[in-house]
Amino acid sequence: MSTRTDATPTPPAAPKRKFTFPSALTVLAVVTLAVWALAFLIPSGAYDRDKDGAPIEGTYHRVPSGQSFVDRLNDLFLAPVNGLYGVQDTKNGQVGPDMAGELYGSAGVFLFVLAIGAFITVVFATGALDRGIGRLAHRLRDRGALLIAGVMLVFALLGTVEGFAEETLGFYGLIVPLMLALGYDRMVATGTIILGAGIGVLCSTVNPFATGVASSAADISLGDGIVLRAVMWVVLTGVTVAYVIRYARRVQKNPGRSLSGFLPGDRDHTAADAGEPPELTGLHKAILVLVGLTFAFMIFSVVPWSSAITGDADATPYGFELGWSFPQLAALFLVAAVVVGIVARFGEQKLSATVVQGAADFISPALVIVLARGVTVIMNNSKVTDTVLHSIEGIVSGTSSAVFAIIVFVVNLPLAFLIPSTSGHATLAMPILAPLADFAGVSRAVVVTAWQAASGWMNLWVPTTAVTIGGVALAKVGYDKYLRFVWPLLAILFALICGFVALGAVLT
């Protein structure tokens, strides 16, 4: 007996689309529209200004914006343009591309980011940095704790001076087998890479994408506050390294306490399985020296040495101080990129192509800065910036300088989640936060430090950053397991950051 059916086969269900968090460019485009719309509802007002242009506490008063609907529509249309090279009229304070006055846009920072991108890309194209880190890891392969500390310190150093983060994704193929060969688990490798670079970015000293952009938006030198940030880097890096080593030793002693578990074959690795990277050539060593000298000279050129040594913010600069800012630094890294390419014997065609490719790879963070600056132009032209500042002034008024610094840190945590781009977050928030420091009698450099600590702390774990999500995927570690591993450290770092920014506020 046979059976027969005439029913039409049910088509397979369409796969559900997973939600993906929008990019920083999209977020800032939405923010631009939202701020433009809110500017119709927020009353316009202004503070009286001192000779340096800083708002004077208690002088806020309402003033008409003087803008028609067409004027506001024009500001929205030109927001990205004004964010790049808008000029502020010295008489009425309005910003536009055809005004006469001082540059308000972020053209200097924009070009600096592209120059940094060109330099970093040329350096990576030589293979010197990758091979150098690989040789370090292989040399320390038989000394587990020293290997963890060595790799984390290198990543933290690169993070604090140049924002080394996404670049770490290329090292999982090297670090994971080494850690497994030493009897550790995949979580140790994950923590070594993510937390090593992440703590460096959190404690950025001269990182151009965090400290540099924030300092520019706060209208202070890149070197202001570098002493506090350097001490933070030493202490927080030490705590983070110790935390990872403590977990690693626990897993090595008792594999059953591993938070990530072991995949088939993980326990079969030996130190020999990791393979030996090629030796560093004389050319590679020369390039690494050039990279070190470039960043060392950058630090020297931006630090206000007289203020840092004497502790007096108004100290007369020493004769050897350069006082460089973004135009000079952009030129420095372009020249350094060419020098590295010449030393590496790239040839004119390859060097030109690599420089262009490097600038292209970094166009996204550069555009984020432009869009964020465009938002501040809309607020400036509609005269609502001081109104927003006045409303926040009421919240922090009467608080001590230490409490004020902690509030700045906490307030920036949700902003860092919404805008994981450090450059965009800094450009958007700092024009509001920096003048608050003047009201509280606190150095603007402390606000920059508190802001970047909030951004860095969030980026150690939030799922909106490719460094974390991409890292746990490459290491084959569940995101939920990584959160379980990292949350005690996050609590410790939170307390330490609050202590440091409060101390910095009190000392200034």
Side-chain angles (χ1 to χ4, degrees):
M1 180 178 177
S2 63
T3 60
R4 178 172 172 269
T5 176
D6 296 323
T8 303
T10 304
K16 293 183 177 180
R17 297 183 63 182
K18 292 180 63 178
F19 172 77
T20 55
F21 198 83
S23 68
L25 288 170
T26 303
V27 170
L28 282 170
V30 173
V31 169
T32 302
L33 289 170
V35 169
W36 180 79
L38 286 172
F40 286 94
L41 305 176
I42 301 173
S44 55
Y47 281 94
D48 293 337
R49 305 277 165 167
D50 61 20
K51 58 182 178 61
D52 297 321
I56 300 173
E57 187 176 6
T59 63
Y60 173 81
H61 56 282
R62 297 287 178 84
V63 296
S65 69
Q67 283 195 309
S68 66
F69 179 79
V70 174
D71 292 333
R72 291 175 183 263
L73 201 60
N74 187 61
D75 279 346
L76 176 63
F77 179 65
L78 290 177
V81 176
N82 284 327
L84 179 62
Y85 66 90
V87 176
Q88 186 169 35
D89 190 287
T90 53
K91 295 180 180 179
N92 59 24
Q94 294 288 298
V95 176
D98 53 357
M99 298 288 186
E102 295 184 356
L103 179 67
Y104 188 90
S106 54
V109 184
F110 178 86
L111 291 173
F112 176 53
V113 169
L114 298 186
I116 279 279
F119 175 73
I120 292 174
T121 304
V122 169
V123 170
F124 269 100
T126 67
L129 192 58
D130 303 63
R131 188 174 294 189
I133 295 174
R135 291 300 304 172
L136 171 68
H138 185 76
R139 181 169 294 183
L140 300 176
R141 67 191 182 280
D142 296 325
R143 290 168 282 181
L146 198 56
L147 170 61
I148 294 170
V151 172
M152 290 185 74
L153 285 173
V154 170
F155 283 176
L157 182 61
L158 292 171
T160 194
V161 298
E162 61 101 340
F164 189 81
E166 287 85 355
E167 297 88 347
T168 60
L169 296 175
F171 289 95
Y172 282 87
L174 169 68
I175 302 299
V176 170
L178 275 174
M179 295 302 177
L180 292 175
L182 293 169
Y184 303 134
D185 63 1
R186 292 173 178 269
M187 190 67 75
V188 174
T190 305
T192 297
I193 298 173
I194 294 178
L195 298 179
I199 200 65
V201 175
L202 188 157
C203 302
S204 294
T205 48
V206 290
N207 171 9
F209 306 105
T211 317
V213 175
S215 297
S216 174
D219 198 25
I220 61 175
S221 165
L222 178 60
D224 286 343
I226 194 172
V227 175
L228 174 65
R229 296 193 293 269
V231 175
M232 276 184 65
W233 182 84
V234 171
V235 174
L236 270 62
T237 299
V239 168
T240 305
V241 170
Y243 182 85
V244 176
I245 290 176
R246 179 177 177 271
Y247 171 81
R249 285 174 171 167
R250 187 178 72 190
V251 171
Q252 190 178 46
K253 185 177 180 180
N254 183 4
R257 300 185 69 183
S258 167
L259 294 177
S260 62
F262 296 90
L263 298 177
D266 280 358
R267 307 295 289 166
D268 300 332
H269 284 277
T270 66
D273 293 334
E276 181 175 0
E279 292 282 349
L280 279 173
T281 65
L283 179 60
H284 288 139
K285 293 176 182 178
I287 291 170
L288 290 176
V289 170
L290 280 174
V291 172
L293 289 175
T294 300
F295 282 107
F297 186 76
M298 179 188 75
I299 294 171
F300 170 78
S301 69
V302 300
V303 171
W305 292 101
S306 58
S307 300
I309 294 172
T310 64
D312 180 8
D314 298 321
T316 303
Y318 297 136
F320 61 81
E321 290 186 34
L322 296 178
W324 279 14
S325 188
F326 293 102
Q328 295 89 346
L329 293 177
L332 169 66
F333 281 102
L334 283 176
V335 171
V338 172
V339 171
V340 169
I342 292 173
V343 171
R345 304 185 186 95
F346 273 6
E348 186 273 333
Q349 291 288 334
K350 183 178 180 180
L351 177 56
S352 299
T354 307
V355 168
V356 171
Q357 182 61 52
D361 289 343
F362 280 71
I363 195 68
S364 178
L367 286 176
V368 163
I369 295 169
V370 170
L371 285 182
R373 191 61 170 171
V375 175
T376 67
V377 171
I378 291 174
M379 295 177 65
N380 174 85
N381 287 357
S382 57
K383 292 185 169 61
V384 299
T385 302
D386 282 5
T387 302
V388 176
L389 179 59
H390 177 63
S391 66
I392 303 177
E393 178 193 353
I395 298 174
V396 300
S397 61
T399 62
S400 66
S401 56
V403 172
F404 166 78
I406 294 173
I407 290 175
V408 171
F409 168 64
V410 174
V411 163
N412 275 287
L413 295 176
L415 286 176
F417 179 86
L418 292 172
I419 310 175
S421 164
T422 54
S423 304
H425 182 185
T427 309
L428 192 64
M430 208 51 62
I432 299 294
L433 297 176
L436 282 177
D438 302 334
F439 295 162
V442 174
S443 168
R444 291 189 174 198
V446 174
V447 172
V448 170
T449 302
W451 162 80
Q452 69 178 32
S455 177
W457 188 84
M458 290 294 285
N459 282 331
L460 290 177
W461 66 274
V462 292
T464 52
T465 170
V467 176
T468 300
I469 292 300
V472 296
L474 288 169
K476 298 180 180 178
V477 169
Y479 177 64
D480 59 328
K481 295 176 181 178
Y482 172 74
L483 290 181
R484 185 181 171 191
F485 161 73
V486 80
W487 80 258
L489 175 65
L490 292 173
I492 295 170
L493 294 177
F494 188 97
L496 288 173
I497 291 167
C498 289
F500 269 108
V501 297
L503 179 62
V506 170
L507 293 178
T508 59

